[in-house]
Amino acid sequence: MCGIVGVVGSNQATPVILDALRRLEYRGYDSAGIATLEHGHVERRRAAGKLDHLASLLARLPLPGVTGIGHTRWATHGAPTENNAHPHGTERVSVVHNGIIENFEELRRELEAAGQVFSTDTDSETIAQLVDYHLQRGLSPREAAHECLKRLEGAYALAMIFAGHDGMVIGARHGAPLVVGFGDNEMFLGSDSLALAPLTRRIAYLDDGDWAVITAAGAAFFDMAGNPVERPVRLTALIAASVGKDGYRHYMEKELHEHPVVIGQTLQRLIDPATRRVVMPDLPFDLAAIPRAVITACGSAFYAGMIGRYWIEQYARLPVDIDVASEMRYRNPPLAHGGLGLLISQSGETADTLAALRGMRAAGQHIVSVLNVEQSTMARESDAVLGTVAGPEISVASTKAFTAQLSVLACLTIAFGRARGTIDADQEERMVTNLLDLPSKATEVFERHDEIRRMAAIVAEARDVLYLGRGAMFPVALEGALKLKEITYIHAEAYAAGEMKHGPISLIDSTVPVVATVPSGPLFEKTLSNLQEAKARGGRLLVFTDMAGAPRLREIAECVVAIPTVDEFVAPILQTIPVQILAYEVALIKGTDVDQPRNLAKSVTVE
């Protein structure tokens, strides 16, 4: 899940590459590097740590040249040191790589036996050494790159430059995305279209197994057999202005405040406000004929899927299984004939989710993906895509993408219920009305910011935090605990509130805050009883609820944040927002790096 940029043109490449890498730093920030061609020679600069370290190095030691490649790394093989930073290479070739080469040990042994000298601990250097081996035996850069690609096993997106070949970059992809950007007498490569947003809106995606030879005049695409292929040039909707902080301190803060707009934009795509009906895109199958659905995803998207499961089973009466994608791809579960595989991913490139998609496809399932990037690999391999209109999400910790995913799943639930006859026209109108009210209700949540800050001050002092919720609030609790872990490094666990007495209650004392999501509704009294159990053991109760539930909870809780009361159907969407804000406020108190927490990266394109 590293970031890759390549540039071929007539202007200095390094400033363009460095600027593009800043837009890709969410993909990795363990180290960074740039290589260019200067008078036919490969020159490079690398630095451990975040991109600012590389920028400082370049200020002292500039790197001229109009052809170059750059990389920002999330370490897999080898520690995040300057020596292990990309680009890797020799005097003849320089390579940047996103992914994992699974047969690198075998290749490295072969190459060392043939006299190639390695200098890093990475799997990626194997690519450069293999290309160099072929170059030394008289192959052209195109031939050497192609021969190398034939031997690689695993996932990769690659960019290469070659000594003596100014004005050319070779790119390749297998299992990890790579985009070609078309400019005026200049061309670009990027891990995704976000990197190229200020440079061009004209892009082409490499298909799996493609490689491309890029010059300032254009790009030639080839399949793995070396046959020329055509790839369509598309216009991306991204523009440079969409990826800034807009005056906020962090991307996460900006993206939190975008919840109302994102929910509204996503619902607008799937709801006809005049008729108060859900309008699904054309699906190549009948929703009413689906016997069973399987939801799979990773991280926050998995928690969104859990809420989707509650909804679809409760309102549409359709049996739903749910699996973490990294487990499902190896568990090989039996799947119902003609069933639905429902996959959720922000990037549409998540390696584990993509592998699960392909497994379900092979098992004969219909495939629908909920995605924020509708030109992604998962989109191209799905029967249908339900898009989340969230815009770029730069902060590593996902926020607005989560509520956008829930908005889509809520609409899909209604469509399923209508098709199966479990939701009539009157109920659909009520459910749709509740959804359409959410953007304004979400705006009101931010009026509770001061109360959330007071709660954050308590959480920031803790070493361990317990999150509780019942029903669809259990995944909301899981999302809250994940956010706290991700950006504050405080240990947090979430449990279904009724499970607390079956073990976790032993952890509770006055040093362990108990954060609960308890909106009014059918499960309010049951959850209230669980909180009484925690309070009896000395637990400090910090509760998110609504206006209707607040009076009862204030009798027992140390801190209560009451947001607007909404129907139980849409309550999980709204309750998610203050839980995420809490994690952000705790991170501010702790002084951690909010947008780029340690050890993490976004768009996880490795297993």
Side-chain angles (χ1 to χ4, degrees):
M1 46 192 152
C2 308
I4 287 174
V5 178
V7 173
V8 179
S10 55
N11 298 313
Q12 290 296 302
T14 294
V16 177
I17 294 172
L18 189 63
D19 188 52
L21 288 178
R22 292 194 187 281
R23 292 186 292 280
L24 286 176
E25 202 173 5
Y26 68 92
R27 284 178 168 265
Y29 32 88
D30 293 336
S31 59
I34 295 175
T36 63
L37 291 172
E38 183 183 6
H39 304 302
H41 299 289
V42 177
E43 300 288 341
R44 65 178 176 173
R45 306 284 185 268
R46 300 178 297 167
K50 295 189 177 180
L51 199 59
D52 285 344
H53 297 171
L54 177 63
S56 297
L57 176 63
L58 289 166
R60 299 193 307 274
L61 298 170
L63 194 58
V66 298
T67 301
I69 53 177
H71 188 270
T72 181
R73 183 178 185 232
W74 185 81
T76 54
H77 295 73
T81 62
E82 178 181 340
N83 188 58
N84 287 332
H86 297 223
H88 296 302
T90 68
E91 63 183 19
R92 283 166 284 274
V93 61
S94 189
V95 176
V96 291
H97 169 224
N98 173 22
I100 291 177
I101 304 304
E102 294 176 354
N103 62 333
F104 83 96
E105 292 177 326
E106 171 193 347
L107 293 173
R108 180 163 180 157
R109 285 193 297 269
E110 288 182 20
L111 290 164
E112 287 179 329
Q116 296 295 123
V117 179
F118 284 71
S119 61
T120 79
D121 304 318
T122 70
D123 60 323
S124 304
E125 188 189 4
T126 307
I127 304 164
Q129 294 290 348
L130 184 53
V131 172
D132 184 80
Y133 172 82
H134 290 301
L135 290 171
Q136 290 186 66
R137 277 143 190 82
L139 270 65
S140 69
R142 291 190 187 199
E143 294 167 335
H146 188 208
E147 288 301 314
C148 171
L149 296 175
K150 293 177 184 178
R151 294 293 312 278
L152 301 182
E153 297 175 9
Y156 56 78
L158 304 173
M160 312 177 191
I161 57 175
F162 301 84
H165 294 271
D166 289 22
M168 182 181 73
V169 174
I170 293 181
R173 72 152 293 186
H174 178 70
L178 196 64
V179 181
V180 175
F182 293 76
D184 295 326
N185 296 316
E186 56 184 352
M187 295 286 291
F188 311 99
L189 269 178
S191 298
D192 57 38
S193 55
L194 182 63
L196 309 184
L199 303 171
T200 180
R201 292 188 59 201
R202 299 172 59 237
I203 60 173
Y205 289 87
L206 275 69
D207 284 355
D208 236 24
D210 281 357
W211 56 287
V213 179
I214 298 162
T215 66
F221 298 90
F222 304 89
D223 62 18
M224 188 53 75
N227 301 313
V229 292
E230 297 293 329
R231 296 293 173 242
V233 178
R234 313 168 186 266
L235 287 179
T236 176
L238 289 174
I239 58 175
S242 67
V243 298
K245 293 181 184 176
D246 293 348
Y248 289 99
R249 290 166 290 180
H250 304 97
Y251 282 111
M252 185 175 181
E253 183 183 27
K254 175 198 173 191
E255 290 158 11
L256 283 166
H257 281 84
E258 288 174 341
H259 275 301
V261 171
V262 163
I263 293 169
Q265 289 176 337
T266 301
L267 292 174
Q268 186 178 32
R269 179 179 287 190
L270 295 170
I271 289 175
D272 183 342
T275 61
R276 300 275 159 150
R277 284 176 63 85
V278 167
V279 181
M280 284 282 111
D282 290 336
L283 300 175
F285 53 85
D286 182 1
L287 286 176
I290 298 294
R292 194 174 194 92
V294 178
I295 298 175
T296 189
C298 302
S300 288
F302 177 73
Y303 301 148
M306 290 179 69
I307 295 170
R309 180 193 191 189
Y310 279 107
W311 283 339
I312 294 171
E313 290 192 333
Q314 178 179 348
Y315 296 103
R317 308 308 299 161
L318 175 71
V320 180
D321 297 313
I322 185 163
D323 251 320
V324 174
S326 57
E327 289 297 312
M328 182 180 182
R329 62 182 299 188
Y330 299 112
R331 195 165 65 82
N332 193 27
L335 300 174
H337 177 72
L340 175 68
L342 182 59
L343 301 105
I344 309 168
S345 169
Q346 190 277 141
S347 67
E349 304 289 351
T350 310
D352 291 319
T353 312
L354 180 57
L357 182 156
R358 290 168 175 165
M360 287 192 282
R361 166 75 72 201
Q365 303 295 284
H366 302 292
I367 304 295
V368 172
S369 293
V370 178
L371 307 172
N372 196 40
V373 183
E374 295 181 50
Q375 297 84 30
S376 60
T377 304
M378 286 179 62
R380 295 194 293 273
E381 297 190 18
S382 299
D383 295 320
V385 174
L386 302 179
T388 56
V389 193
E393 190 179 63
I394 308 300
S395 178
V396 168
S398 181
T399 52
K400 61 177 179 172
F402 186 80
T403 53
Q405 289 161 356
L406 291 181
S407 299
V408 169
L409 292 170
C411 291
L412 180 61
T413 297
I414 295 171
F416 258 125
R418 185 177 65 210
R420 295 170 60 82
T422 60
I423 295 174
D424 61 23
D426 289 342
Q427 186 177 3
E428 178 175 1
E429 183 176 350
R430 289 194 299 272
M431 295 172 81
V432 166
T433 297
N434 287 322
L435 284 170
L436 293 176
D437 286 343
L438 275 177
S440 63
K441 301 293 186 184
T443 301
E444 293 181 45
V445 172
F446 291 91
E447 297 174 6
R448 305 290 178 266
H449 218 130
D450 289 344
E451 299 165 38
I452 298 173
R453 287 192 184 100
R454 288 194 288 273
M455 186 183 289
I458 298 171
V459 174
E461 297 174 352
R463 178 179 174 181
D464 306 282
V465 182
L466 192 65
Y467 282 71
L468 300 176
R470 271 186 179 264
M473 291 302 139
F474 170 42
V476 174
L478 286 164
E479 166 67 3
L482 177 63
K483 286 294 163 288
L484 194 73
K485 283 182 280 197
E486 283 181 321
I487 64 172
T488 74
Y489 319 140
I490 295 173
H491 174 247
E493 298 294 339
Y495 292 91
E499 282 294 293
M500 181 184 65
K501 58 185 176 291
H502 296 296
I505 198 169
S506 65
L507 299 173
I508 295 176
D509 61 25
S510 60
T511 68
V512 180
V514 177
V515 179
T517 52
V518 197
S520 58
L523 298 176
F524 180 82
E525 295 294 339
K526 293 292 186 183
T527 315
L528 184 61
S529 296
N530 299 138
L531 295 183
Q532 293 280 17
E533 295 164 2
K535 186 173 180 63
R537 273 77 180 176
R540 303 178 71 178
L541 303 184
L542 313 176
V543 182
F544 294 103
T545 184
D546 53 30
M547 300 299 186
R552 295 280 303 282
L553 287 163
R554 288 195 174 104
E555 296 174 4
I556 65 167
E558 180 175 345
C559 189
V560 174
V561 175
I563 65 174
T565 303
V566 295
D567 185 82
E568 66 165 313
F569 172 51
V570 300
I573 304 176
L574 203 63
Q575 288 286 336
T576 293
I577 300 173
V579 167
Q580 293 177 343
I581 295 172
L582 173 64
Y584 175 75
E585 290 297 331
V586 174
L588 292 183
I589 295 170
K590 300 284 285 185
T592 58
D593 190 332
V594 174
D595 286 332
Q596 297 174 349
R598 67 189 184 198
N599 301 334
L600 296 179
K602 211 175 185 73
S603 294
V604 187
T605 57
V606 296
E607 288 190 42

